[in-house]
Amino acid sequence: AAQVLIGKLGFPLHAAWGKVGRAALQPLVARAGIPSPSPADSAWTPQLAGAAAFFDLLFQCMPPLRWYLARPPQPRLVVYCDAQYSLFGRKGVGVIIADTATGNTFIAGDVIPPTLLDWMATFGCERQTHINQCELLAILTAILSAPESFQGRDVLIWTDNVGALSACVHGYSKHPDMAALSNAIHLSLARLQARAYFAHVPGLANPADIPSRVDFVPAGDTFTLNPGQMSAKDAATIASIKPTFLPLVFPTRHHLEDLSSFTHRPTEQW
């Protein structure tokens, strides 16, 4: 029955914007993957109830698939994302957004709120690191921090993490926390009608590594990266980019537990 539902739900999702909703199939995929299910494996779980509620809402306002055949009205928005996860140290994300239409470049970064780290730890997966989840979170914060830049744009998003890249490209992950973050990313892109392309950048070539591990300090009426925490190479990289500080916006734990928050239209407030 689970496999049948996956097929029936997958059919309308192919007509949705991007990879919207595919990650929400994760509880059904997990159920269908049980080789010899017992009666206990047929129970209705909170995960299945959450997926049912999500699809019920999504199908009421599902963003339709659109193909654009003409040249994009504006050049691409280029986004670099990175995360740092030190087991006993800093856990942060960094973002650099380059708008090739205006020539403006923005930089953002911050430590990850403890509530989100606690949320990642609730899924019962015995991992020593949540770097993949944090890398996905960095991509989501980029979208939430600059929605007006993403609105209606072709966007090229670079990440140096293969796990996060796979979750974005396929719109799915077998890990529930990765699936929730992937779903939030694609819902946010659809809400903004942004056409995203995801690609891998080698870690040493990713400039977003710098704001993921360096603190911002006050500089007049704005903030700048702490020069005392940067190497000469880091400082030269930032000087060549000449970015403008952008406050970083994180989702709350509530938003990630109730993905209906990401189906709001761009004019609606969080």
Side-chain angles (χ1 to χ4, degrees):
Q3 192 62 52
V4 172
L5 282 174
I6 292 170
K8 289 184 179 295
L9 288 170
F11 181 76
L13 289 179
H14 278 86
W17 186 283
K19 300 294 191 298
V20 165
R22 294 189 186 183
L25 295 170
Q26 194 275 336
L28 286 171
V29 174
R31 176 66 60 88
I34 300 175
S36 300
S38 66
D41 294 323
S42 301
W44 185 253
T45 65
Q47 291 78 15
L48 289 171
F54 172 77
F55 281 117
D56 181 60
L57 176 66
L58 178 65
F59 290 147
Q60 296 178 44
C61 56
M62 189 166 69
L65 176 65
R66 290 187 176 93
W67 289 97
Y68 290 83
L69 304 180
R71 178 179 297 179
Q74 298 183 75
R76 279 181 177 175
L77 188 74
V78 181
V79 181
Y80 289 89
C81 302
D82 200 15
Q84 181 190 38
Y85 190 97
S86 174
L87 192 59
F88 299 107
R90 181 184 174 93
K91 300 168 181 65
V93 296
V95 171
I96 291 180
I97 301 173
D99 192 335
T100 58
T102 64
N104 296 326
T105 301
F106 301 94
I107 188 169
D110 206 346
V111 294
I112 299 171
T115 53
L116 294 182
L117 295 172
D118 291 342
W119 171 78
M120 295 175 191
T122 61
F123 290 87
C125 301
E126 295 186 3
R127 307 186 189 102
Q128 289 194 346
T129 177
H130 294 282
I131 184 60
N132 291 348
Q133 291 79 358
C134 293
E135 297 274 2
L136 269 181
L137 180 63
I139 296 173
L140 180 57
T141 60
I143 303 169
L144 299 181
S145 301
E148 66 286 345
S149 296
F150 282 79
Q151 181 70 52
R153 298 289 296 277
D154 282 353
V155 185
L156 178 58
I157 299 177
W158 295 95
T159 177
D160 57 22
N161 183 275
V162 176
L165 179 63
S166 175
C168 288
V169 169
H170 299 290
Y172 180 81
S173 173
K174 67 178 181 179
H175 303 293
D177 46 0
M178 294 278 284
L181 287 163
S182 174
N183 218 1
I185 288 169
H186 285 285
L187 284 169
S188 298
L189 291 169
R191 179 171 59 101
L192 296 167
Q193 297 188 337
R195 300 170 292 279
Y197 306 86
F198 300 93
H200 180 263
V201 58
L204 293 177
N206 188 353
D209 168 70
I210 302 172
S212 75
R213 55 181 169 80
V214 176
D215 294 323
F216 283 85
V217 294
D221 58 353
T222 185
F223 289 83
T224 188
L225 290 167
N226 187 344
Q229 296 179 343
M230 290 193 292
S231 66
K233 181 181 178 181
D234 290 344
T237 298
I238 296 302
S240 67
I241 297 173
K242 298 179 181 178
T244 300
F245 171 74
L246 177 72
L248 198 66
V249 177
F250 284 98
T252 66
R253 178 171 176 168
H254 168 73
H255 291 137
L256 294 173
E257 292 176 338
D258 179 11
L259 291 175
S260 64
S261 307
F262 296 96
T263 63
H264 295 168
R265 302 207 175 269
T267 54
E268 294 182 346
Q269 300 296 317
W270 281 63

